Amino acid sequence: MTVLENIDGPSDLKRLTSGELIRLCAEIREFIVDKVKVTGGHLGSNLGAVELTVAIHLSFESPKDVVLFDTGHQAYVHKILTGRRDMFDTLRQEGGLSGYPSRSESEHDWIENSHASTALSYAHGLACAMNLGRGPLVGTSDAQVASDPTRYVVAVVGDGALTGGLAYEALNNIGHGNKKVIIIWNDNGRSYAPTISRLSSSITKIRLNPTYIQARGRIRQILSEFPRVGSIASSGIVGLTTALREAIEPRVFFEALGVRYTGPIDGHDISAMGYALAGAKEWDGPIVVHVMTHKGHGYGPAEQDEVQCLHDLKVAPLVAIKNRESFTDAFSEKLIEIASHRSEIVAITAAMPGPTGLLKFEANFPERFFDVGIAEAHAVTSAAGMAMGGLRPVVAIYSTFIARAFDQVNLDVSLHNLPVVFILDRAGITGDDGPSHHGLLDMVEMLAIPNLTIFAPSGTDALRSALEASLNLSGPAVIRFPKTTGVTTLDGLLPPLDPFAAHKLCGGNGSIAIVGVGKMAEFALEAANLLEDQGLDVTAWDPRIIKPLCSKMMRELTSMTHVFVVEDGFVPGGVGSHLSYQLNQSQLVDPTEVVQLGVPIGFIKQGKPNDILARLGLDGIGIAKSVMAHLNHNQIA
């Protein structure tokens, strides 16, 4: 039997010898690699945090002690050590184990934080509650247990989380309020890719900095040459070199904020970390324990991946689907093509150059590429400044993360009517990453912003056309597209050459239409074909641009009795709501009935994107059934 098979909870770690702990770490790495190769998931970040997580659970008593992981994708080892080892075959699968901490899974999970740089704010709030004699309940514990003064709040911050501004706002408050929070800085110098952070890049290397070492040596040499003063000076050398060190070490940064600093410590040495954490527990105030780890540690393929260290491992489909293409790849190639003859175009991302398709752009135009770290709000306002300066910024951010910069899109870009293009990748139902990663809010948010043109391409050719058109606008634009692959061009009637015109996919008798937004246009056409088999002659539209809506399409819809709008976002405030409002504004009598089909408001668990859409009745047959039911026809079998 392996050591790992005997670990059912954190308390089981405390009876292991040092040799058994080393074996356990090797077994955990092998276990994670074996499971993630099958399910997909975040690999490199978890392989780098094995010894660190073991040391944390040896030093603290979870769940009595509150352990918060930021970013949440580095919590696989924590899940394994807290009784969920046997669930890993279901990792990121529908009905299975979440890829992030999940309060519904375990009392050891306090926050569901897949959006980075949040844990220090949670920690500040929890520490405030404990100082006021309260505190979070653990399972079925009573208030007395919750307010136990011997509890610790531990924030494990790493994998790029300290590139986000929210973390520094929290750090300032933790230090100013002298809150007893233990901050473990898991410093691997990276997030998805090498981390963009002056703090991260300079602080972690400071004790090996040749300038510091040489300066210290020169001071020692000069002082030793003074007659009779040398011995006195030597006894004071500690003070002098400390002054020099303080000028360039992280201690001065953290302690200026009122947070004690210790480190750096080898994050793959359980004993060293245990010693440091024991000391941190004795400190009566906030303290940072700086731990240095290697992302992908102990697994050759991850260590050899210089860009992402196998940050997230994707499982390739068993069969490639013909005539389909990645939207991200199409965007990447088209942007490079346009930028090759337009020197004013620059690209910005928030710590995701690989997932958003900008690595090739960076390779071709390194001086025109900007990775600002996990700081979406800053990315947007920085883009506004670039646009003011005559550049044409393209900001590539996941749909789910643009919510973190809504105010900046609204007031810093759109209020100024600046020509910034926002690329919202992973829009709609995204799948395996669960409720925090679905891109269901972007249309509701963006449609409410003045001056903003919004494209929702149904295929990759339409995406290329939208990118070219958006870069010629005088104001801001959004292009949203899904994580799933798309057709090059939808079958049906010939698409218009004008990128601002809707594409009629099939004609009808002029009474019923289905408008499919973005990828949903493909399902709208499928539904129209199914309805034709049932004797209903339905028009299907691919709007391609949802703000402003195509005037020709709107004129045709005005004469219809029923319009079904299908979107992969929330219904209230979505495209259907806006289309209905516009139709009602133009119709004084006999208004067209607009039926809105979309995602109900709620948090949707992980699953395959098209399976989730089918369950919500948003695939071809589901849409057709909704049309038939609304018109009081017999259901399709």
Side-chain angles (χ1 to χ4, degrees), residues 409-492:
V409 176
N410 184 30
L411 297 180
D412 298 345
V413 173
S414 293
L415 177 63
H416 296 84
N417 201 30
L418 295 168
V420 177
V421 176
F422 297 99
I423 301 297
L424 304 190
D425 202 332
R426 272 67 166 178
I429 297 289
T430 57
D432 302 341
D433 284 319
S436 61
H437 272 55
H438 295 307
L440 302 174
L441 270 172
D442 66 271
M443 286 190 289
V444 175
E445 294 169 326
M446 299 299 113
L447 282 165
I449 295 177
N451 295 332
L452 200 56
T453 300
I454 306 174
F455 296 87
S458 59
T460 52
D461 276 353
L463 167 57
R464 294 181 177 95
S465 176
L467 182 59
E468 187 121 36
S470 66
L471 286 167
N472 289 319
L473 292 171
S474 60
V478 165
I479 305 174
R480 72 181 305 270
F481 51 81
K483 181 179 182 179
T484 50
T485 58
V487 294
T488 304
T489 301
L490 275 175
D491 293 333

Side-chain angles (χ1 to χ4, degrees), residues 66-70 72 100-103 108-114 118-120 122-123 126:
V66 179
V67 181
L68 312 171
F69 284 88
D70 185 1
Y100 298 94
S102 172
R103 289 164 64 93
H108 295 276
D109 290 2
W110 289 97
I111 51 177
E112 310 201 11
N113 59 325
S114 60
T118 59
L120 293 181
Y122 282 115
L126 284 161

Side-chain angles (χ1 to χ4, degrees), residues 351-363:
M352 291 190 178
T356 58
L358 290 180
L359 285 178
K360 290 182 180 178
F361 185 96
E362 180 186 16

Side-chain angles (χ1 to χ4, degrees), residues 3 15 36 52 112 212 221 225 286 337 374 426 472 480 598 606-607 631:
V3 178
R15 55 181 173 74
V36 174
L52 170 58
E112 310 201 11
Y212 165 62
Q221 178 63 33
E225 293 174 356
E337 176 193 322
I374 304 174
R426 272 67 166 178
N472 289 319
R480 72 181 305 270
Q606 72 265 18
L631 299 175

